[in-house]
Each structure stands twice: as C-alpha cells, then as structure tokens.
Amino acid sequence: MQSTTQEFDVCVVGSGAAGGVMAKEFCEGGAKVILLEAGKQVDPSQFLSHMWPYELPYRGLRDEKQALFYQGDVRQSIRYEDSDQIGMDRIRVLGGRTVHWNAVTPRYAARDFREWSLAGVEEDWPLTYEDLTPYYERIEQMIGVCGHDDGLEIVPAGKHYLPPLPWRCSEVILKRALDTMGIPVISVRKAVLTKPYDGRPACHFCGHCMSGCDVSAVFSSATAMIPQAKATGNLTLRQNALAREILVDNEGRARAVSYFDTVSKQEKEVKARIVVLCAATIESARLMLNSRSPRHPNGIANSNDVVGRYLHGHLGKGSYFYLKELEGAKPFNQDGATDHVYIPRYNHLAGKKDYVGGWQIQVNFVSYMFPYQASKLPGYGPAFKAQVRRMQPALLFFGSFGKVLALPENRVTVDPHHLDADRIPIPVVRFRFGENDRAMWHDSDRSLLEISSRLKCQAFLDTDSPPGGFASHEVGTVRMGKNPKTSVLNSYCQAHEVKNLFVTDGSCFTTSAEKNPTLTIMALSLRAADYIKEQRRKGEL
Amino acid sequence: MDRRTALRIIALGAATPQLQLLKAAAHNHANLNIAWTPGEYKLQFFSEAENQMLDELTELIIPADSHSPGAHAAKVSLFADLMVATGEESEKSKWRNGLRMMGEEADRTSLAQALAKAAEHEEHPTTELEKFFTLLKQMAINGYYTSEIGIHQDLEYQGNTYLSEFPGCTPTP
Ligand SMILES: Cc1cc2nc3c(=O)[nH]c(=O)nc-3n(C[C@H](O)[C@H](O)[C@H](O)COP(=O)(O)OP(=O)(O)OC[C@H]3O[C@@H](n4cnc5c(N)ncnc54)[C@H](O)[C@@H]3O)c2cc1C
Ligand code: SF4
C-alpha cells in the first residue's frame, strides 16, 4: 500500500453534483483538498453529442454517446435481488452525472421536508425549507438557472433567474388545454444558460444536454466547479482513484481513505482530517458498508444498521401525444434545450387523496430527430410511411416522475463473496414499490388520460407496464434525521457516530418529493460546507 | 391547423441562424472508430440470399415514394446485418428462423403476401411468424429513420444545429 505523508484538510470522494460544490467551497475557503474521483475527465471536445446517428457505430442505438461516461465495469458490477423494475445509475467520470444530466432544478417546497407532520408518513427532515433557502439562492446563482417566478407554493422560486426558455408551439397548445383543467404549466427552471454567464457561453439550442454539452452551457461540475477549485491552487485532483475504504483511528474517527488506482493497479491511501463522501447513493453506501473495523464492525457509522436502507427514487414514465394542430406542418427545428416548460405537482390542488404524494411532469425532453410514432402506429407500406412523416412535427412528450416512499426494507447491501473487477465487494439492491406508490401512480395514469382527452391529439400512453424507476434520481441510503436510531447523519450531513465524516450526495435525503433532486443535493452540500468551515474555525473539527 | 400557427412554423423553418465557428468544434472526433460505412460493408451474419430477402421485406415496410427513397436505398438490410451480427445470441436464431419462415411462406404465395400474413395480428402477435414481424418492423424503423435518407430526405429534420436564439412560438397559435 502506497501512502502519502501529507495530511489534507479535507478528502472529498466523488466529483459529481455534490463533490464539485464541496471541492470548490473548501478550496476557495483556503483548505487543502484532495479529490478522489473513480473516473477520468472526458473533455467536451470528445463528446459525441452533435454526431448524426449514421456517423456512430450503431447509430447511437447502443448508447454510444453516453458510454464514454460509464468507465470500467461499473454498469455490470451490481446485482438486483427480489426487485421490481428499477435501475441504478452509477457513473464513473469526472463531474459525475452532471456531465450529461438534463439540469431541471426545482426547489423542494416547504411541505416536502415535513411528510410526517403534514401527511403522517415517513419522517420529517431534520431541517426546514427556511434553513435551506439561503443555500438554494446561492447555488442557483453559482450554477446559473434560467426560469421565472410564477408564485407557486409547490415550487418556490428564487430571486435570480436568467431569462426563461421560449415556449414551443406544442407547449403553447398544451397550456391552452391545461388552463381549462386548472393545471398550471410554467417555464422550466434549469441550469442552462440563456445568456453568457460566469465565463460560459449561452446555449445554442441543440437539445443534446443528455449526451453532454460541447460548450458547457448546461452546468457541469467538471467544467464549472472543478476548474474554479483548481484555480485556487488548493486542489489535488486524483482521477482513476476508486475509493475502497474509509480508515479510522483508535477512537473510530476517519483518518484516511484507501483507494485503488485503476490505471497503475496499485492500492493507495490518503490522510485527511475530514472525509466527505460524494460518490452518490449506491457508491457512498457501498463504501461505508465496506469500511469495517473493530470500532465499526457493521460498516462505518452504522451501528444502527441504517446505512444502505431507505433506498428510493422516482417512478418514471413517458407519454407521447401527437397534436392534430401541428400534424402535417412543414418540418421546423424544435430541438431547443430539451424541456422548456414544466408541470409542477397538481394533484394536491384537487383536495385530499387516499394516497400520499404526487407527480411532476417534464415536457419535451426527448430528441426530435427520431419518429417514436413509427413504433407505435400499426401497419406498414406507403400509407404508414406518409403517416409517420405527417405526425413528426406534432410531438408533445411527457415524462412523469412520481414520489416513492422511503422504506427501511428497500436497501443496498454488499456481497463480500462477489468482487468487481477492482476486487471490491459489489452492491446488491433489493427494492419493491409499495402500495402507496402504486395507488399514486394509478391516479397519475387516470390524470394523463384526462389530459389527453382535452388535447386534440393521438396519444400513446403506457398504462399497462408495471411501475419502473428510478429515473437516475435514486437517493436515501445514508439518510439524515433527527433521531440517531433511524438515521445516519444530522442536518449538516455529518455522521452521528463519526464527527469528521460527512455525506452530501443524494444518499443523504430523508425522503423525496416528486421533484428532481440535484439542486437540493447541491444546496445541502453548500450548507454542509459552511458548517464544516465554521466548525474548523472554532477548532471543533 | 390554425393559420397563424402554420405561418409561424414556416417562418421557423427558414430562420435558423448558424454559428459556423461552434459547428467546427463538433466534428473533431478523429478517434472514433466508425464501423458504419455502407459503401464497403461486408455481410457478417446474413447470407446473400437472406440479405436479398431482408432488403425486399424492409422496402415493403418503408417503400420509396414520390417524397423520398425507401429502406432499400437507405441500405437498411446491411444495418440489420450489423446489429444482429454484433447483438445477443438469442436474437440471432430469431432472425435466422424468421427469415426462413418468411421464405417458406413466400414460396407458397409471394413475399408481399407472406409479409401481409405476418402483419395480420400486429397488436397481439401469437404465431412465430407474427412475432417475427414485430422484430422486422422495428429493425426497419431503426435502420431507416437513423439513416441519412430517413433523417434528411424523408423527415426533413431541421435540427442538430447551432442557433444563436430559439425563436419559440409567437404569436400564440
Ligand atoms: C440523463 C440524466 C438526466 C438527469 N436529469 C436530471 C435533471 O434534470 N434534474 C436533476 O435534478 N437531476 C437529474 N439527473 C440526476 C443527477 O444527475 C443526479 O441527481 C446528480 O448528479 C447526483 O449527484 P451526486 O453528487 O449524488 O452523484 P453523481 O453526480 O453521480 O456523482 C458521483 C461521483 O462519484 C464518483 N464515484 C463513485 N464511486 C466512487 C468511488 N468509490 N471513489 C471515487 N469516486 C467515486 C463518480 O465517478 C461520480 O463522479 C439526471 C441524470 C441523468 C443520468
Ligand atoms: S441544448 Fe444548450 S445546454 Fe443543451 S447541450 Fe445544446 S447547447 Fe448545451
């Protein structure tokens, strides 16, 4: 084992949404930071986003554009047991999933932190919307968010938005229909630059955000946070550094992180006064469970057996509507920046339901290049071909994301007998949707049918398939909480049992709303960073 | 369609300012190993006879018309060969058997009638031949609409560009 003699102030593990914020904040605060990142950088000049399908080996149908970001055997080295239809999104690249995310950034509402108090399910978070508000405000300004304040309580707005994205014709038509139903549709808030900001150029409306933005107009930790951390001279960045274990001293406090250099194939170790895990929901839990020692025989900070439990994410589904009004139009460029409008949760407006939670709808984030209707229309031959063509300009797409309850029996564990290519025990996932999840999802189907009947359209809805998840929104495995018996972290993402260990990626969520998690992940990271800086000043850490 | 919507859409199609500078950056992928070069493509899985049948079948599914060429011109059968050759083992036998069944059916009637029979219960396929139709049609769709002909000539897709502004839909339709 190679070990450096230098002791760093902070070791951050993972450079995604959470890790980018942490590295930047600590470096700018003057701390010496080492950032361990399992993947390596893919420069935006190497992104395949603007390639035509026929320029790619398999026309892009085998995920060629995204495969660059999933390095090593990360996609294979996981096992699902006794699970519903779910998939975990484990990435391995500098910048984490922000390298190809869709950047929709709703804030959680005040009610989303208080499920127990308001709905009698799950648990309240150990912090409130008010506690997080200043950090939401700051993070939105750091990453650049376009949008608009529509005065809706369910999606509280910030004060500093870049101009909203212009609405497409299909979205204007959608609003007309939703207005008659009392369902709000608003300009999306997302971390896409509608004008130059923070040294990055404005969006050029190619719709390729989820293949990686070649000009960094969509926020990515790799191109927005890491360079700023580097510029301070305080960052030591180790790429291809797969953290294996958190090592502890005699009192059980974190003292170092051991990692495997996936290029030199050497085991290494770095010493740090504070360890911050930002390796995402599956990896952070795996890392903690694999960190066994006499002081922590059940994995670090896990004497209560909560690490790995409460795994959850979003129910997800796609619906395709072809609007009669746009059928047969002369083809026009609708790419834009994926979603331009957003339908916030609305089921609560119609009074109490016999289930808890709701869904949001993201609109038009699929590519406009491929005719999805072709696979859905019956028949073949000249009439079929002509009909596919006629319908092509008329697409309106919905992606619905629904709340899933956080339950202790849904969990990730590790299998010490099954090692991955780097000889680390693989994660094993067990997950079942619950009755409440299904009831809510069923009601969302009913609502989709109602919306489709108000739109003059041909609709392709999927109300038959079993529920599926998690839309890359998995969270919860190292949860925060007021009660140390049922949680791992306090409201500052600090482990109850190990004071110099913090976890600020998505795994720290207590519960989930229907909203995309990442803005909240970054706001929580900022808040944790402030707390750590304050504690260091006081000499407490 | 509402007349104002129509006008606006036509205007959108025409007004697409391009940022050539940025575009140059996008084609900087010298390292990419592109397996797809139809001009020199050699069959890897299907026999010449199978390829011939596949070519005719896919052309029946997406034929040339007065608007654009069809699956034959887009060389969809070669795309199918690449995908099957490099795909799952279990898929390979489905293709081999499927084409054999089509061939047998066509010997009794014609290829067009064999395809019509296979497509008869598309919504709820039960026979092996009907199940093969689902596979075949999806392959035709995937191959054709990801080809230059499908994207540019048939659908006349206007995107994948660099715009300095996104025009949106005004006036309101
Ligand atoms: C296509 C797509 C679209 C999305 N759209 C949205 C959206 O619109 N809105 C939204 O809010 N969210 C979206 N998401 C989800 C969003 O990207 C994630 O919620 C967010 O990135 C999670 O942040 P994180 O810091 O928890 O983890 P990640 O961003 O996944 O970062 C984890 C990092 O840790 C590294 N790592 C993992 N294991 C180790 C290890 N053992 N040692 C060292 N490093 C390690 C990884 O390489 C990675 O860099 C999307 C995701 C995808 C894939
Ligand atoms: S749509 Fe805009 S933000 Fe998204 S990839 Fe294209 S340029 Fe980047």
Side-chain angles (χ1 to χ4, degrees), chain A residues 13-19 36-39 70 89 91-98 100-105 210 241-244 278-281 283 286-287 362 471-473 505-507 516-519 521:
Chain A
V13 179
S15 64
L36 299 181
E37 168 49 56
Y70 293 79
D89 196 334
I91 205 166
R92 222 166 252 184
V93 69
L94 186 75
R97 277 171 285 165
T98 64
H100 77 123
W101 70 321
N102 194 26
V104 174
T105 52
M210 283 184 273
L242 181 66
R244 173 193 290 285
C278 302
T281 296
E283 286 298 301
R286 166 167 99 139
L287 186 51
Q362 278 182 229
S472 197
H473 294 166
D505 58 54
S507 56
N516 318 57
T518 312
L519 187 75
I521 292 175

Side-chain angles (χ1 to χ4, degrees), chain A residues 49-50 101-102 190-193 202-219 335-338 340, chain B residues 161-162:
Chain A
S49 30
H50 273 270
W101 70 321
N102 194 26
K190 67 196 294 185
V192 161
L193 304 183
C203 170
H204 54 254
F205 307 105
C206 66
H208 293 315
C209 309
M210 283 184 273
S211 312
C213 181
D214 57 346
V215 300
S216 306
V218 62
F219 168 82
D335 285 351
T338 65
H340 290 199
Chain B
T161 57
Y162 291 78

Side-chain angles (χ1 to χ4, degrees), chain B residues 92-103:
Chain B
K92 292 183 180 168
S93 53
K94 286 187 196 160
W95 280 95
R96 186 128 282 147
N97 293 338
L99 286 178
R100 185 183 40 73
M101 283 184 293
M102 278 288 184

Side-chain angles (χ1 to χ4, degrees), chain A residues 79-88 282 308-315 402-413 428-434 437-438 467-470 474-475 477:
Chain A
R79 193 166 78 236
Y80 297 89
E81 280 180 1
D82 186 26
S83 285
D84 284 328
Q85 260 183 33
I86 49 158
M88 302 300 128
I282 298 303
R309 293 188 182 273
Y310 299 95
L311 169 68
H312 64 293
H314 279 146
L315 280 154
K403 177 182 171 70
V404 171
L405 295 192
L407 300 175
E409 58 269 30
N410 289 324
R411 67 190 299 196
V412 52
T413 54
V428 180
V429 168
R430 289 186 194 82
F431 178 90
R432 290 279 180 205
F433 290 110
D437 306 335
R438 287 171 197 277
F470 288 143
E474 52 269 23
V475 292
T477 51

